[in-house]
Amino acid sequence: MGQRTRLVVAAAITDDLDVPRTLLAARRTAPSALAGLWEFPGGKVEHGETPEQALRRELREELGVEVDLGDEIPGPDEAHGIEDQCGDAPVWMLRPGDADVERLVLRVWWATLRPGADGAKVEPRPLEDHDLLRILEPGGWRDVAWLPADKRIVDALLEDATARHRRAYC
C-alpha cells in the first residue's frame, strides 16, 4: 500500500498583502504534544473542497473571520511524488504519522482580514484548537515557539515579505 498524503492549508494573516508587516500566530491547545506551540491557522482539506474553500472554512471555524487571500507562498521543499494530489503548487512537507495519514502536505497563503458587514474591523478570536492569538510586529516574527514545520514557513514568509518591501520602497 502506498503512502497516503493529506492536504492541509494555512493562512499567514497580515496587515497588508503588498507590504506585509505583521503576522498572526495562534497557540495550539491539542494534541498534548503540540499544546503551547504556535502555528498558522488553517486545517485539513475535506473531500470536495478546493484548498481555498477549505482555508476560508477553517478560518471561520477557528477564528470567526473572513479573509481576502493573496499569493500562495513558495515553500522551501519541492513537491516530488505528490503531483497527483497537489498539482504543480509549491508545498511544505510536515510531520509523518499524523493521526489518519502518513504524510501531510501544507500549502500557505498570505491573507488579510475582511471587515464585517457593517464595515467595522473584525478581530479574530481563538474559537477552536487555540487558546491565544498574537499579532507579531515587524522584527518579531520569530518571537514565539513555532511548531517545527512552521519555523521553515516563517523563514519563507520573511524572505517573501522582504522582497515585497524592496519592490515597494526601493
Side-chain angles (χ1 to χ4, degrees), residues 30-47:
S32 59
L34 303 177
L37 295 177
W38 295 78
E39 69 176 355
F40 296 100
K44 294 176 179 151
V45 176
E46 301 298 336
H47 182 70

Side-chain angles (χ1 to χ4, degrees), residues 18-131:
D18 295 324
V19 284
R21 297 180 49 79
T22 63
L23 187 64
L24 184 135
R27 190 171 66 184
R28 288 195 60 96
T29 55
S32 59
L34 303 177
L37 295 177
W38 295 78
E39 69 176 355
F40 296 100
K44 294 176 179 151
V45 176
E46 301 298 336
H47 182 70
E49 286 182 314
T50 66
E52 293 88 348
Q53 289 168 334
L55 182 54
R56 290 177 190 283
R57 175 186 51 77
E58 287 285 348
L59 295 174
R60 278 191 301 272
E61 292 171 0
E62 291 184 6
L63 306 177
V65 298
E66 296 291 335
V67 296
D68 290 318
L69 295 179
D71 295 331
E72 185 173 355
I73 307 306
D77 294 324
E78 297 296 324
H80 300 299
I82 58 167
E83 292 76 14
D84 55 330
Q85 285 96 348
C86 301
D88 297 325
V91 296
W92 282 281
M93 306 314 292
L94 290 184
R95 302 170 304 277
D98 188 60
D100 59 346
V101 295
E102 295 180 40
R103 181 170 65 171
L104 296 178
V105 173
L106 179 62
R107 294 176 62 185
V108 179
W109 281 263
W110 284 113
T112 55
L113 297 173
R114 250 188 215 164
D118 61 359
K121 183 176 179 180
V122 176
E123 293 294 333
R125 301 172 319 280
L127 302 175
E128 280 186 9
D129 304 325
H130 306 105
D131 65 351

